[in-house]
Amino acid sequence: MAIRCYQAGNKEAEDSIVFLNGLFHNHKAWIRQERYPDFKKQYRLIYLDYPGCGETPQSNNEISFLEIVDNIAKLIKQLTSKPVNLIGYSVGGMFAMALTSRHPGLVKRLVLLNTSATVAGHASKIVEGVARSIRSGDDLKSIFSLVYPWFYSAKYLPRIASMESLLLDQYASYNRNREGVLKLLQAI
C-alpha cells in the first residue's frame, strides 16, 4: 500500500520531522509547525495521508493497524537513511508508538500529543458512530459537524467558529473516500 506524503522545510536537511496527524485530519493540521522558522530552516518536514484519506489511495483489501504502521516505516526508509523525529497527535500518536516499538532504529525522538495506545472509552463510541453514519450514506459535512468539536479545546472553539463551514468542507474533502475511511476506522 502506497502512502502519499508532503514535504516542506529544508529538503536538504539531514534531520527530519515526521508528523502523524489525528484521525480525519490532513497535513494542514500542522500548518503552524510548518511555518515555525527554526523547523523550516533545520529540518525536512514530512506529512502524510493515511490509507484511503486525502491523496493516498484506498487498499483493495482490508488493512490492519500494524500494516499501516509498517507502511509508514517503509515510507520513512524510502525518504531518509537517518532516524527521524516522530510527532504523533491522537491516532497519529497510536501509530507513532507502535512504529517506535516495531522499528526502533527509525526513530531518534518521539513526541506524543493527546494520545493513548488504543482507541478507548468515548473515542471508540465516536469512531463507531462515524462509521455507522458513513455506511448509512449521511452527508460528510453533517457527520463532521458532530465530531469536530472533540478535536479542539473549549478555549479554541469560539476562535474558529467563523471558519466552521471551511473546516467542514476540508474534513469532507479529505475524508471523501468513504470506503477508505471505513477501512481506516476498522484498522484502528
Side-chain angles (χ1 to χ4, degrees):
M1 130 187 32
I3 294 180
R4 170 88 163 105
C5 75
Y6 307 85
Q7 296 186 57
N10 180 351
K11 294 176 185 164
E12 305 302 318
E14 287 194 26
D15 283 335
S16 300
I17 303 176
V18 177
F19 295 90
L20 300 180
N21 43 277
L23 189 60
F24 309 126
H25 291 85
N26 63 15
H27 65 281
K28 293 177 184 174
W30 302 103
I31 192 72
R32 287 182 180 233
Q33 288 76 11
E34 185 177 336
R35 291 178 180 164
Y36 185 63
D38 288 343
F39 282 1
K40 287 190 333 188
K41 191 179 347 174
Q42 295 178 28
Y43 299 98
R44 178 186 343 184
L45 307 175
I46 302 168
Y47 312 89
L48 55 90
D49 288 339
Y50 299 130
C53 299
E55 300 306 317
T56 295
Q58 132 187 353
S59 171
N60 292 329
N61 305 315
E62 296 299 316
I63 55 175
S64 74
F65 179 83
L66 293 178
E67 284 177 293
I68 295 169
V69 168
D70 290 341
N71 277 279
I72 294 169
K74 181 179 174 184
L75 176 67
I76 291 170
K77 289 176 189 175
Q78 290 171 354
L79 296 174
T80 181
S81 60
K82 303 229 182 226
V84 300
N85 300 290
L86 188 59
I87 301 177
Y89 168 73
S90 188
V91 168
M94 292 169 45
F95 290 136
M97 284 188 276
L99 190 146
T100 302
S101 176
R102 290 174 68 83
H103 306 275
L106 290 180
V107 181
K108 181 177 182 178
R109 290 184 192 96
L110 174 63
V111 177
L112 301 172
L113 306 163
N114 195 29
T115 193
S116 65
T118 61
V119 175
H122 71 279
S124 65
K125 293 296 184 188
I126 292 170
V127 168
E128 291 168 13
V130 169
R132 201 172 29 256
S133 293
I134 289 173
R135 277 192 223 94
S136 297
D138 293 349
D139 176 69
L140 289 174
K141 282 180 71 171
S142 296
I143 295 169
F144 291 112
S145 71
L146 301 172
V147 175
Y148 94 91
W150 284 95
F151 303 142
Y152 301 97
S153 69
K155 182 178 178 182
Y156 193 66
L157 271 173
R159 295 173 60 190
I160 61 172
S162 64
M163 300 185 307
E164 181 174 354
S165 181
L166 175 64
L167 283 171
L168 294 175
D169 285 341
Q170 288 180 349
Y171 284 125
S173 174
Y174 180 68
N175 296 284
R176 67 190 172 276
N177 181 336
R178 290 171 176 267
E179 286 302 312
V181 172
L182 284 172
K183 287 181 179 181
L184 177 62
L185 294 175
Q186 290 169 348
I188 62 167

